[in-house]
Amino acid sequence: MFTKHLQFLSGDALADAIAEIGVEGADLSLRKGGHVEPSRVRQDLPLLIRALEKRGLRLTMATTDVVDAESPYAEDVLAALAEHGVTHYRWGGFKFDPMRPIVEQIEALKPRVRGLEELNRRHGVCAMYHTHSGLNQIGAAIWDLRLLLKDFDPKYVAVNYDIGHATVEGGFGGWIESLNVTGPYLRGVALKDFLWVKNPKGEWRPEWRPVGEGMVPFDQFFATLKRVRFAGPMQIHYEYAMGGAENGSRHPEWAKDRIIASMKRDATRIKALWAGSS
């Protein structure tokens, strides 16, 4: 699970909550304002890993502020992750300028990706670009991300495919094509659910929902992942209303037990959906 949604807990309390939710490990918020600050990664990361390991949990990946090799603390973060056997982390944040040709912008970004690939190769870690939906988001359509990454080694620069955002972009079947386009760059998967609803202005917008209460085709998606033998980190994101915990609040309005119960429910549903898919 993505620890952003337990930002109101830390240390042993955080590890206890993750164990209670019933997942196998954590996607650590290792960024400014997260559970581990990049400037303190060498001091604080080992403490959190030990807290998880005492409960039989693993730190399988981290979500970072890394955009390219020049990002603040990038070298320290990747070195610390590698030292503790954490081989995957989430990166991203590129956007299109709608006034310029798209392919030209993709080509202009490649030197930054090349620098990050070299840094990752040096530390033996893989950066997974997280996909979002929406206007001017590089990676929303997926094919643009494939064009950006196609000349680089997927062992070091790859994709964290968010099926929630992918279904927003292509609900009927577009997500199938985008998953296929991702190909060998598919290294991580993020899970969330949503429905289209009208906002107070009468505009249709995606609204995040608990797993199984939206329109994400988890059974078909999981069957596809099994067919391609996907084996990377799979993360649950809790973006629906949970008293502020969905946004990483340190002081959510919901009680801790209520938040944990919601997260546990989603984790249980995910496991059942995975087991039932074929």
Side-chain angles (χ1 to χ4, degrees):
M1 66 152 297
F2 183 21
T3 68
K4 162 190 168 181
H5 309 297
L6 292 175
Q7 201 66 53
F8 57 97
L9 300 174
S10 60
D12 287 332
L14 172 63
D16 284 341
I18 295 172
E20 185 177 350
I21 289 164
V23 294
E24 297 176 355
D27 166 12
L28 176 66
S29 178
L30 200 172
R31 55 189 183 183
K32 189 172 178 59
H35 279 105
V36 172
E37 291 281 346
S39 61
R40 288 190 51 82
V41 64
R42 293 189 180 276
Q43 299 95 320
D44 295 345
L45 183 63
L47 301 178
L48 185 52
I49 289 176
R50 284 199 291 272
L52 292 170
E53 289 177 342
K54 283 192 298 185
R55 292 153 180 85
L57 301 169
R58 294 180 300 141
L59 182 60
T60 56
M61 61 175 285
T63 291
T64 72
D65 287 329
V66 174
V67 176
D68 56 30
E70 303 304 316
S71 297
Y73 304 106
E75 185 89 45
D76 289 344
V77 166
L78 302 192
L81 291 175
E83 180 181 347
H84 294 283
V86 183
T87 56
H88 295 76
Y89 71 95
R90 182 145 60 100
W91 70 301
F94 295 146
K95 291 191 176 183
F96 288 122
D97 177 349
M99 305 305 294
R100 294 173 53 208
I102 287 177
V103 174
E104 173 188 294
Q105 294 181 67
I106 290 173
E107 291 301 315
L109 284 170
K110 287 187 177 181
R112 297 173 68 182
V113 177
R114 183 172 294 106
L116 186 61
E117 179 195 42
E118 292 171 356
L119 184 61
N120 291 335
R121 188 186 301 274
R122 190 158 70 244
H123 292 289
V125 297
C126 179
M128 305 183 301
Y129 192 100
H130 189 77
T131 62
H132 288 90
S133 56
L135 294 174
N136 303 320
Q137 293 276 358
I138 291 183
I142 301 296
W143 63 262
D144 53 350
L145 206 50
R146 182 60 187 265
L147 285 178
L148 178 61
L149 300 179
K150 69 181 181 66
D151 298 324
F152 303 105
D153 192 333
K155 290 191 297 185
Y156 303 111
V157 284
V159 175
N160 195 52
Y161 186 92
D162 189 310
I163 185 56
H165 284 294
T167 309
V168 171
E169 289 288 332
F172 186 65
W175 69 268
I176 299 173
E177 280 72 38
S178 67
L179 185 63
N180 289 335
V181 165
T182 304
Y185 292 91
L186 178 67
R187 291 302 168 104
V189 164
L191 306 172
K192 59 170 74 86
D193 211 346
F194 84 100
L195 282 176
W196 286 103
V197 300
K198 282 189 175 182
N199 65 16
K201 296 181 179 180
E203 302 165 331
W204 286 101
R205 292 289 185 270
E207 180 177 278
W208 303 115
R209 296 291 179 88
V211 169
E213 296 182 14
M215 59 184 291
V216 171
F218 286 106
D219 52 351
Q220 188 180 4
F221 179 58
F222 286 162
T224 304
L225 291 182
K226 288 180 178 180
R227 187 170 66 251
V228 301
R229 299 187 178 184
F230 171 76
M234 183 182 293
Q235 323 105 48
I236 306 176
H237 291 209
Y238 301 91
E239 304 286 353
Y240 56 88
M242 289 193 303
E246 70 276 14
N247 297 319
S249 172
R250 293 185 181 274
H251 305 283
E253 296 176 1
W254 283 19
K256 171 190 167 184
D257 289 349
R258 184 181 177 188
I259 294 171
I260 299 301
S262 291
M263 293 179 171
K264 187 173 184 177
R265 176 191 59 206
D266 275 15
T268 300
R269 287 177 177 172
I270 287 292
K271 290 181 178 181
L273 287 164
W274 179 266
S277 63
S278 60

